[in-house]
């Protein structure tokens, strides 16, 4: 799935062009750092973001601070930086992002 030196991708070589054409993305955002008593609203959001959206935009749109690392889920699970365009991670204009708990201070 990828040659040496390249980051693993969840898309085949022909699919990125289709994903770039998405006008919007449907993103399931899961906050894995929510406490055990947190309700579903504190843990998960289903967002619609614009075609030029990024992982960082999904983080900021969640509505609560998400300070942990982001991982794209599907195919190959991989850690992704905030500047990553959503089209690089999506399939059929949909994707799931999971944000881990914030690193502990101290």
């Amino acid at each position: 799935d990828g040659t040496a030196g390249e980051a693993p991708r969840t898309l085949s070589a022909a699919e990125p062009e289709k994903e770039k054409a998405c006008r919007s993305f449907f993103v399931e955002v899961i906050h894995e750092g929510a406490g055990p008593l947190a309700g579903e609203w504190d843990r998960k959001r289903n967002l619609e973001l614009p075609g030029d959206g990024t992982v960082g935009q999904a983080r900021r749109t969640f509505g609560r601070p998400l300070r942990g690392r982001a991982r794209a889920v599907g195919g190959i699970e991989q850690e992704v930086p905030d500047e990553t365009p959503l089209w690089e991670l999506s399939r059929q204009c949909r994707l799931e992002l999971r944000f881990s708990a914030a690193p502990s201070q101290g």
Side-chain angles (χ1 to χ4, degrees):
D1 249 356
T3 58
E6 287 184 43
R9 293 281 179 218
T10 58
L11 301 173
S12 74
E15 292 174 356
E17 292 306 315
K18 290 180 187 176
E19 297 304 310
K20 278 185 180 181
C22 295
R23 291 179 179 228
S24 63
F25 293 95
F26 295 94
V27 186
E28 183 175 31
V29 178
I30 298 173
H31 180 204
E32 294 177 331
L37 300 178
E40 186 170 343
W41 182 250
D42 290 323
R43 282 193 192 119
K44 182 172 128 179
R45 301 277 197 286
N46 291 307
L47 306 173
E48 183 176 4
L49 297 175
D52 62 351
T54 63
V55 171
Q57 186 175 13
R59 179 190 299 274
R60 292 185 300 275
T61 307
F62 188 79
R64 291 212 180 308
L66 297 174
R67 295 186 180 97
R69 295 181 176 177
R71 290 187 337 272
V73 180
I76 300 170
E77 188 169 320
Q78 58 186 321
E79 192 171 306
V80 290
D82 279 4
E83 57 275 4
T84 305
L86 298 176
W87 65 263
E88 286 188 12
L89 308 168
S90 68
R91 281 191 186 269
Q92 298 178 340
C93 306
R94 298 179 179 279
L95 66 143
E96 180 180 317
L97 292 173
R98 292 180 175 261
F99 290 87
S100 63
S104 60
Q105 303 286 325

